Amino acid sequence: MEFVNLTIDNKTVKVEKGTSILKAARSVGIDIPTLCYMSLGDMNIENKPGGCRICVVEVEGRKNLAPACCTDAHTDMVIKTNTMRVLNARRTVLELILSDHPADCLICAKSGNCELQDMAHKLGVREIHYKGEMSTYKPDKSPSIIRDMDKCIMCRRCEMMCNQVQTVGALWGINRGFEAVVSPAFEMDLEKSTCTYCGQCVAVCPTGALTEVDHTNQVIRALADPNKTVVVQTAPAVRAALGEEFGLKPGTLVTGKMAAALRRLGFDFVFDTDFAADLTIMEEGTELLDRLGKFLNGDKEVKLPILTSCCPGWVNFFEKQFPEMKDIPSTARSPQQMFGAIAKTYFAEKIQTKREDMVVVSVMPCLAKKYECQRDEFATDGNPDVDFSISTRELANLIKGANIDFNLLPDEDFDNPMGDSTGAAVIFGTTGGVIEAAVRSAYELHTKKKLEKVDFEQLRGLEGVREATIDFDGLPIRIGIAHGLGNARKLLEDIKAGKSDFHAIEIMACPGGCIGGGGQPLHHGDSSILKARQIAIYQEDKNKPIRKSHENPFIIKLYEEYLGHPMSEKAHHLLHTHYFDKKNEFLIE
Amino acid sequence: MSSVKIKLNPAEVEKLKEVCASFGNQSGELINVLHKAQSIFGYLPAEVQEIVAQELNVPVAKVYGVVTFYSFFTMIPKGQHPISVCTGTACYVRGAEKVLDEFKRRLKIEVGETSADGKFSLSCLRCVGACGLAPVVLVGEKVYGRVSADGVADILAEYE
Ligand code: SF4
Ligand code: SF4
Ligand code: SF4
Ligand code: FES
C-alpha cells in the first residue's frame, strides 16, 4: 500500500494514495463543509459529482481553489481549509445556489432537516447578493413521493441511489446549465416511470426537492371525526428509529412510549403490524413448505425458489422489471395489507362496526406502502383495507404537533387482539429477519421437532447478498438474502439464467431492510445508525416471551375462530394477492 | 423539450436494432448509437430512445438525459426544408444574427423548432467553410451566400 504525506491546516497527515483531500482532512478531525458529496461508508456508496463547490480549499502553489471531495491528496501538498479566500468563495457559491432557490423555508416540509438550510446557517449567509431568473418546473405528485424540482440543487444523490444502488433507473440528470435537473425519462411523471417508491432518493435528498406525500392531515381529520373508529398499526422497524426524532440515541427502543403516544393522539385501538407479520409467516411459511413438498415429490410445475413478498418496493420492482417472473414470489400479502384485511373483517365484526366507519392507519418506515394501500386489489367496494399509511417521520410530526412530550411518556402496551406478537415478527424490520422468522416456523412445522435454538446467526448481518444452508433435520435448505434492489437484481438474474440453487430468497428493497426505509428518520449517510437500529430489533426479539409466529396465541385463535387454517379459501381471499405485468404499461405510444 | 409520438414501422424497428447491434449493444456506445439513429430518422423521438435503451440495457431516463444534454441531438422532426444559419465567427460579424432573427420572426419558431405546417425547421451551424460568402444560409442542400435580413422573405418564397 502506498501512502502520501501532506499538510492540512498545519497538521501533518498521512493517508493512503488516492484518498481525497476531504477524507484526509476528516481523518485528523478537520471538517470541510460539503453539500453534494455523500458517502454511505459500509455500503461502499459514494456520491461525488463535484458539482456544488462548497468544499473548496486552498492548495499552495495552485491558482484555483480545489474541491476537496474530488481532489486526491498528493505528497507535499500544503492545504488551507479556512482562509478568508476559502470562506468568501464558499459563501459566494452558496449565495449563487440560494439565488435560484425558493425562499419558503418557513413552510417547507424539509425545514429543520434540510442540509441547504443548515449550510446557510453555518456559513452565516444573511444576504443574497445575486438576483436573477429562477428556474421553475412543473410539480409532480405520485402516490408516495412529491417532486418539487424548483428546490433541486443538482447534487445528483437521488440519481446515484436510484441507479447505482437500486438499479431502478427512474431518475437521471437531464438538460445542461441553468436548466439542468434530475428527472424521469421524457419528463414524465414519476408515477409513469419505473420508480418503485422505495424512497431511497427521498432519504438522501438534502433539500425539499424530494419529499413524501404527507397524510398527517387526513389522519388528524379521521381522529377528530366522532363517527369513525380509528385503528392504528405500527411496523416493526418504526420502534427502533422513532426515538431519534426526539433526540434519543439511535437504537433506542421506544415500543412502549410509541403505544402511549398513539393513545394520547386519540387512536381508538393501538395495534401492531407485528401481529400481521406473524400471520404472514403462517401463510408464507406454509406456502414455502407446500411448494417444497411438491418439489421434493418430483412435481415439475412447482416454482422454486420462493421469494418473499412482504416488501411493496420489491413487488413494484419485479412487476415493472421482471414481470416474466411474477409467479415465483409468494402470493402472501405484506403485513400492512394483511392487517388491514383482518381489521376490516374479523375485528370489525368483533366490535360490530361497519368497514365504512372504520379507518385503518398504518405507521411505516416506508414510502412504497403509501402506494401499496391505494392499489385497487386491496379495497372492497372502493373502501381500502388500509386508509392511510404514514411514515415514521410523519408520526413524529403528529406527536410534536400535538404537544406530547414523548420522552416523558410511560411505557404502555398494545391493545388486543391485534397487538400481540412474537419475536419472529419484530425481526421483519431488518434484512434477514423475514426469512429467519419463516425458518423458525417452517422448521418446526416440517420436522415436527422443537428448535433447540431460535437464533439463526448465519442469516444475520448487513452484507448486501448473503446465503446460508439450514439443516431441516437432514434436508438442507438453501437460503438467499438480498437487500437493496441492485443486490436483488443479481439474485434475479441468476434465477433467470437457471443458475440459482436456492429454495427460498428474502428480498428487501431498502439497504438494511426496513430499518433503512425511505420513511425513517434521515440517517444522512451514517451507517452506524442503521447498525444501532438492527441491534435494537434483535434485542426486542430476545425480550419477547414467545419467539415463533405459530405459537402466538392470538394468531392461533384467529385461525380457530375465523380463517380455518393457513391457505384456506378464506385466507386466500383475505391474505393473498396476485401480481401484474407492468413492464410496458407506461411505455409512451 | 416535448416528445413527439410516432409509431415506428417494424422495418424501422429492425433497422434501429441493427444499429444497436453494430455497436455490439454496448452501453458505452450510447452516444454513437444515438448519432447513427439520428442520421437515419433525422431526430430522436421517444420511441427510438425506448428501443435504444432496451437494446443497450440502460435506463431510458439515462438515454433521455444524454439526448437533452447534447445540443446536437433533437427530439423534433426536421421540417421538409431544414434551414441552417451559419453562426460561425465570419458569418456572425457580418450579421448572421439579424438573419436568424428574421427567420424566427417570419416562421414564428425558435432555433431547434419546426414550423406548425411541418415545412421549415430552423437550426444554427458552425462554420461551413464558405466564409467568403458570409453570412451563409443552407436550405436543405442549397447554399445561399451574402444573405441579409431583407433577403429572408425571398428565400422562403422559393419554397412556398
Ligand atoms: S423511490 Fe426509489 S425507485 Fe423511485 S425514484 Fe426514488 S430511488 Fe428511484
Ligand atoms: S432532487 Fe434532491 S437529491 Fe436529487 S439532485 Fe436534486 S437536490 Fe439532489
Ligand atoms: S424494505 Fe421496508 S421500507 Fe423499504 S420498501 Fe421494502 S417494506 Fe418499504
Ligand atoms: S461537496 Fe465537493 S463539490 Fe460538492
Side-chain angles (χ1 to χ4, degrees), chain A residues 22 33-37 48-56 67-70:
Chain A
L22 176 68
T34 55
L35 204 47
C36 64
Y37 177 80
K48 45 175 180 180
C52 77
R53 307 271 147 172
I54 281 289
C55 63
V56 287
C69 71
C70 50

Side-chain angles (χ1 to χ4, degrees), chain A residues 145 158 161-162 166 168 170-171 190 194-202:
Chain A
I145 294 168
C158 55
M161 288 311 275
C162 193
Q166 300 296 61
V168 168
L171 296 175
L190 197 61
T194 49
C195 174
T196 65
Y197 303 131
C198 70
Q200 288 303 309
C201 53
V202 177

Side-chain angles (χ1 to χ4, degrees), chain A residues 273-286 335 420-428 433-445 451 454 541 544-559 566:
Chain A
T273 315
D274 286 20
F275 171 84
D278 279 331
L279 193 53
T280 303
I281 289 303
M282 298 305 292
E283 295 295 326
E284 209 170 64
T286 308
D420 227 55
S421 64
T422 72
V426 74
I427 58 178
F428 264 59
V434 175
I435 206 75
E436 179 169 342
V439 164
R440 288 182 192 174
S441 286
Y443 179 94
E444 294 203 348
L445 296 175
L451 268 179
V454 299
D541 169 27
K544 290 272 187 178
I546 303 176
R547 298 178 64 195
K548 289 168 278 189
S549 297
H550 59 284
E551 292 176 355
N552 180 335
F554 289 91
I555 292 286
I556 295 170
K557 200 158 151 221
L558 172 65
Y559 278 105

